[in-house]
Amino acid sequence: MAVSAYILMLMVLLYSVVCGSSSSSNENLPIISFDEGYTQLFGDDNLLLHKDGKLVHLTLNERTGSGFVSQDLYLHGFFSASIKLPADYTAGVVVAFYMSNGDMFEKNHDEIDFEFLGNIRGKDWRIQTNIYGNGSTAVGREERYNLWFDPSDDFHQYTILWTHSQIM
């Protein structure tokens, strides 16, 4: 991506998400407190901060989900979230973990994301990944995959490693 981007974690009608959870793959990385690094975007009381200040649960109700944005700009880095999707019938629910500079370039932005598409009972869960660069959806890639596991059974780690020359 050519420009710096805010990390934006947007959970539209989300049941439960924890960010900053330690796992064997990232336990040596520094984890800042929510208040040090993020600002709530929407969702009123649907963002619940844990006592340690480093974990949050995002929930949904009949009216809205919740979301937050980083306070700093990042040119590249290691970005990870531990996410448990809502169970049962979730058609129309989209859970997204993404980075974008859309707040700075509304009509011409870059984006890297995971989008978890809503589910209908008995169907495979789908994840969509997007990488758009140089301000164009024509310059990038969008892919959809059926998941081989049930992402509503437990928390799973989703990670973007963005170096100066690669996105993994």
Side-chain angles (χ1 to χ4, degrees):
M1 296 202 162
V3 297
S4 298
Y6 279 102
I7 300 173
L8 180 62
M9 174 76 99
L10 176 62
M11 302 301 163
V12 180
L13 299 177
L14 173 64
Y15 175 70
S16 184
V17 170
V18 175
C19 295
S21 149
S22 66
S23 72
S24 60
S25 63
N26 66 4
E27 64 189 16
N28 295 326
L29 296 174
I31 299 173
I32 60 173
S33 73
F34 183 82
D35 291 335
E36 287 178 285
Y38 305 96
T39 302
Q40 184 171 357
L41 283 177
F42 65 95
D44 302 329
D45 296 328
N46 291 355
L47 189 146
L48 306 171
L49 186 61
H50 282 242
K51 291 179 185 179
D52 70 0
K54 295 181 181 181
L55 299 176
V56 296
H57 274 267
L58 304 180
T59 61
L60 80 132
N61 59 30
E62 308 80 36
R63 201 173 52 85
T64 187
S66 53
F68 60 89
V69 64
S70 68
Q71 295 174 9
D72 291 324
L73 294 172
Y74 297 91
L75 186 54
H76 47 77
F78 179 91
F79 309 96
S80 190
S82 181
I83 300 173
K84 180 179 179 183
L85 296 182
D88 209 11
Y89 184 83
T90 58
V93 175
V94 176
V95 176
F97 168 44
Y98 71 97
M99 293 176 282
S100 172
N101 60 358
D103 57 329
M104 297 181 330
F105 301 96
E106 289 181 28
K107 296 181 182 185
N108 194 24
H109 74 278
D110 300 330
E111 181 176 318
I112 303 171
D113 70 30
F114 291 108
E115 295 176 6
F116 302 92
L117 307 176
N119 195 33
I120 298 173
R121 262 181 243 114
K123 301 280 185 176
D124 289 336
W125 281 89
R126 293 177 299 152
I127 186 170
Q128 178 171 307
T129 60
N130 301 301
I131 299 176
Y132 301 123
N134 300 321
S136 170
T137 56
V139 179
R141 188 165 182 97
E142 179 177 298
E143 295 287 338
R144 285 189 181 178
Y145 302 96
N146 286 335
L147 294 176
W148 58 96
F149 60 92
D150 184 346
S152 67
D153 279 345
D154 202 355
F155 288 92
H156 299 274
Q157 200 73 26
Y158 301 92
T159 301
I160 298 168
L161 176 57
W162 177 15
T163 71
H164 70 283
S165 62
Q166 296 179 337
I167 300 169
M168 297 177 270

